[in-house]
């Protein structure tokens, strides 16, 4: 099973350990694309703070994020699972998983990123600010930029099993499963049951709880239909729609009343 996650806008501070080693990151086929984004981002932030803030969509109160990007090559790095914070990652709570669940997380979780393309939760990265919605002056819109390199590496990364796609729309734009990979992919929406609307907090927290449940339970569904049964056994209310045509993923709606 491969689980695709969005990153978080908020991130923990970089560590005091060794700096980024780009060659050590997962999905080495993305190395050249990563270097191109990293180089332009650092140059942009070094050349003009105001333009960088505008390009990155940062408010005045987030001006310090520009300075953070200047230090990407020298700042201490930490596992991506510790860098990403926010509602989904709080609910997932990787740090508190037992050793077996942590090993499953290391094998199965990929976090999509405007800067790195995608990283494993064990990949050591510095804290940064660069969402997939950013349009860099040289490389253009990152969602479109990543499509070509992602198309070359993700089918192999997906292997032959289930792909559970929990990404938000901006990050889903960087890679869309096709063909037989799409047939074993399940996308998930979390709906507030009384209103049947997507509510951000319910959506993020529940997705984090779903991943945690799968990891701690050792569940390994082989396809979307099996995933539906596993989630129902775990107590989730799931409505599933099988693909209406070849080459499209399953669509799952998880209904929740409230999230604690």
């Amino acid at each position: 099973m491969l689980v695709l996650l969005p990153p978080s806008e908020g991130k923990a501070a970089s560590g005091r350990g060794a700096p980024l080693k780009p060659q050590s990151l997962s999905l080495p086929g993305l190395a050249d694309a990563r270097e191109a984004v990293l180089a332009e981002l650092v140059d942009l932030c070094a050349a003009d703070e105001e333009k960088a803030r505008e390009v990155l969509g940062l408010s005045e109160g987030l001006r310090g994020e520009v300075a953070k990007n200047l230090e990407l090559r020298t700042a201490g790095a930490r596992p991506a699972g510790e860098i990403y914070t926010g509602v989904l990652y709080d609910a997932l709570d990787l740090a508190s998983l037992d050793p077996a669940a942590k090993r499953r997380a290391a094998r199965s979780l990929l976090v999509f990123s405007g800067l790195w393309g995608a990283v494993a939760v064990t990949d050591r990265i510095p804290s940064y600010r660069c969402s997939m919605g950013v349009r860099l002056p040289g490389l253009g819109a990152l969602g479109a930029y990543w499509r070509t390199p992602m198309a070359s590496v993700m089918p192999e990364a997906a292997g032959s099993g289930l792909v559970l796609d929990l990404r938000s729309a901006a990050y889903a734009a960087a890679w869309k499963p096709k063909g037989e990979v799409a047939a074993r992919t399940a996308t998930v929406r979390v709906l507030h049951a009384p209103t049947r609307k997507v509510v951000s907090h319910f959506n993020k927290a529940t997705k984090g709880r779903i991943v945690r449940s799968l990891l701690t339970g050792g569940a390994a569904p082989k396809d979307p239909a099996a995933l539906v049964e596993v989630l129902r056994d775990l107590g989730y209310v799931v409505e599933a729609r099988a693909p209406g045509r070849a080459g499209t993923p399953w669509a799952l709606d998880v209904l929740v009343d409230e999230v604690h």
Side-chain angles (χ1 to χ4, degrees):
M1 178 174 64
L2 181 67
V3 182
L4 310 181
L5 296 174
S8 58
E9 286 296 326
K11 299 175 183 66
S14 295
R16 293 186 176 181
L20 171 72
K21 296 179 179 178
Q23 70 276 12
S24 72
L25 298 179
S26 302
L27 305 178
L30 299 178
D32 290 344
R34 286 170 175 150
E35 175 56 32
V37 178
L38 178 61
E40 182 169 354
L41 180 61
V42 172
D43 288 348
L44 170 68
C45 292
D48 188 331
E49 182 179 285
E50 289 304 316
K51 182 177 180 180
R53 193 160 65 85
E54 179 182 351
V55 168
L56 297 173
L58 301 176
S59 65
E60 176 66 31
L62 293 174
R63 181 180 293 274
E65 299 292 279
V66 176
K68 178 191 294 185
N69 285 345
L70 283 174
E71 300 173 351
L72 285 171
R73 296 188 188 276
T74 58
R78 298 168 61 183
E82 297 178 13
I83 290 290
Y84 295 116
T85 61
V87 175
L88 187 154
Y89 291 91
D90 286 347
L92 175 53
D93 196 8
L94 287 167
S96 70
L97 293 175
D98 63 59
K102 285 182 178 178
R103 290 192 293 271
R104 295 183 195 108
R107 293 193 302 266
S108 62
L109 305 188
L110 272 185
V111 184
F112 271 60
S113 162
L115 175 53
W116 313 114
V119 292
V121 291
T122 51
D123 285 340
R124 298 181 65 85
I125 59 173
S127 187
Y128 68 96
R129 190 69 173 233
C130 184
S131 72
M132 193 66 80
V134 164
R135 178 183 293 273
L136 291 175
L139 297 176
L142 291 177
Y145 169 80
W146 281 111
R147 286 175 197 154
T148 297
M150 284 292 185
S152 71
V153 303
M154 284 304 300
E156 181 179 354
S160 58
L162 170 70
V163 178
L164 175 55
D165 190 352
L166 303 179
R167 297 172 296 166
S168 54
Y171 291 89
W175 179 65
K176 295 183 178 180
K178 297 180 180 179
E180 62 88 19
V181 178
R184 49 187 168 85
T185 297
T187 63
V188 173
R189 294 190 309 174
V190 178
L191 302 181
H192 183 217
T195 63
R196 299 192 71 82
K197 293 181 179 179
V198 176
V199 180
S200 179
H201 178 82
F202 288 103
N203 182 55
K204 294 175 181 177
T206 304
K207 286 179 177 179
R209 291 170 64 216
I210 285 172
V211 176
R212 184 178 178 87
S213 296
L214 294 172
L215 294 173
T216 57
K222 300 298 185 182
D223 55 44
L227 173 65
V228 172
E229 295 308 311
V230 167
L231 292 178
R232 287 173 176 165
D233 288 344
L234 289 169
Y236 293 97
V237 178
V238 183
E239 296 178 351
R241 297 186 300 282
R245 55 187 174 83
T248 57
W250 284 59
L252 309 186
D253 287 342
V254 176
L255 306 180
V256 295
D257 291 312
E258 57 182 317
V259 177
H260 300 288

